[in-house]
Amino acid sequence: MIISTLSFSLMNSVVKYLDHIATFELVFFRTIGSLILGTSYILLKGIPLLGNNRKFMIFRALTGLIAMSLFFMSLKYLPIGTAVSLRYLAPIYAALFAVLLLKERLKPIQWFLFLFAFAGVIVLKGFDKDISSTGLFLVLAASVFSGLVYVLIRKIGNGDHPLVIVNYFMFTGTVIGGVLSINNWVAPKGKDWLLLSSLGIFGFFGQVFMTKAFQIAKTNLVAPLKYIEVIFTLLVGVFWFADVYSLWSLLGIIMIITALITNVIIGNK
């Protein structure tokens, strides 16, 4: 899980660094790299490429594409650690969608923790005047769509291999990202090619090692480790991008992550 979170942190950092590249061009390079690696693995292992629950996998792919595009856009406006922390509100929206769409129930303490996490957002925005409203809107919208992705994956269930589900997402992102980036294409120069190529590699290994972690250890032990990504990303923001986080920003981030980790532990019990 630590390798996974480090991979995702590096991927997000490269996206932040390449802020001169159009969003959908970044989406294209992010997805085509993972598509090539994922398809190669699927064919090598003899896994059915198209899967079974195709309709919901297409819905998941489109929803995931919207979430990723909005998140990449938000990185142009927000410190990277703040953006990643706010994106992690997705499990709250996932829980709310599960109540509405899957008729699941939540414990009263979970509702309190969700409110506590939102209070962290208010602290983050209300007291830190440097937080961009545009960036905040984009990343909150991204977390809503990410929450819907979780519910769609649960709806798909275990009938399809995880890499097949991911591959639908990567294929959709490659096609739509490629088409939408034609008019705004920025020709990569020098090390841009290497950095753009790394997006798919970091993203692919982030997915693979996260899946492996959940396969070999109990969920309530593994899931909280996802939030190590916030620590990695904050450090990258400080040392690579010279991001400055006020005490209010750090307090808001701590409130959000504390609430979500506690919710994961309680939810799994």
Side-chain angles (χ1 to χ4, degrees):
M1 201 61 187
I2 293 172
I3 296 174
S4 170
T5 55
L6 180 59
S7 296
F8 283 131
S9 298
L10 291 171
M11 183 191 76
N12 294 333
S13 301
V14 172
V15 171
K16 175 78 171 175
Y17 181 78
L18 294 170
D19 60 357
H20 59 286
I21 303 290
T23 298
F24 286 107
E25 188 175 345
L26 293 171
V27 168
F28 171 76
F29 279 101
R30 156 69 181 99
T31 51
I32 194 171
S34 291
L35 177 65
I36 293 170
L37 291 170
T39 303
S40 301
Y41 183 87
I42 287 170
L43 294 176
L44 188 65
K45 294 293 184 179
I47 301 167
L49 187 62
L50 296 179
N52 301 309
N53 204 336
R54 297 170 189 174
K55 181 176 71 173
F56 277 106
M57 285 196 286
I58 291 172
F59 287 157
R60 178 263 182 267
L62 292 171
T63 307
L65 177 61
I66 294 171
M68 181 169 64
S69 301
L70 290 169
F71 176 67
F72 282 3
M73 289 177 193
S74 75
L75 289 175
K76 299 180 184 294
Y77 298 93
L78 295 172
I80 187 170
T82 302
V84 168
S85 302
L86 290 169
R87 189 193 60 186
Y88 270 124
L89 290 170
I92 293 179
Y93 297 115
L96 296 177
F97 283 129
V99 170
L100 295 173
L101 302 177
L102 304 180
K103 308 304 179 185
E104 294 185 3
R105 293 184 178 182
L106 295 175
K107 298 174 182 178
I109 184 65
Q110 289 178 287
W111 289 108
F112 169 77
L113 290 169
F114 291 165
L115 291 173
F116 189 75
F118 277 117
V121 178
I122 294 171
V123 168
L124 196 64
K125 176 57 183 170
F127 294 94
D128 191 340
K129 303 303 181 184
D130 293 330
I131 297 294
S132 163
S133 296
T134 301
L136 183 65
F137 171 78
L138 288 169
V139 77
L140 290 178
S143 66
V144 171
F145 281 98
S146 294
L148 188 55
V149 165
Y150 295 158
V151 175
L152 287 170
I153 290 174
R154 226 145 71 208
K155 189 73 174 175
I156 293 168
N158 296 320
D160 287 288
H161 193 281
L163 267 181
V164 174
I165 300 172
V166 171
N167 233 33
Y168 266 79
F169 173 33
M170 296 307 158
F171 176 78
T172 304
T174 299
V175 173
I176 295 179
V179 171
L180 293 181
S181 64
I182 290 174
N183 291 332
N184 298 305
W185 186 268
V186 177
K189 298 177 182 178
K191 63 181 179 181
D192 285 354
W193 281 110
L194 177 63
L195 293 172
L196 286 167
S197 301
S198 74
L199 292 177
I201 297 171
F202 286 141
F204 178 78
F205 281 104
Q207 291 278 358
V208 168
F209 281 102
M210 181 175 68
T211 303
K212 280 290 185 185
F214 278 106
Q215 285 176 332
I216 62 178
K218 293 180 179 179
T219 302
N220 62 340
L221 296 178
V222 174
L225 293 176
K226 286 192 301 182
Y227 300 103
I228 293 175
E229 182 183 350
V230 176
I231 298 173
F232 283 145
T233 311
L234 283 169
L235 292 174
V236 169
V238 170
F239 291 106
W240 189 357
F241 299 105
D243 289 339
V244 177
Y245 297 94
S246 69
L247 289 176
W248 288 115
S249 289
L250 293 175
L251 177 60
I253 290 170
I254 290 170
M255 289 174 67
I256 293 168
I257 301 306
T258 300
L260 294 175
I261 290 177
T262 307
N263 179 64
V264 167
I265 296 170
I266 291 174
N268 285 312
K269 285 183 179 179

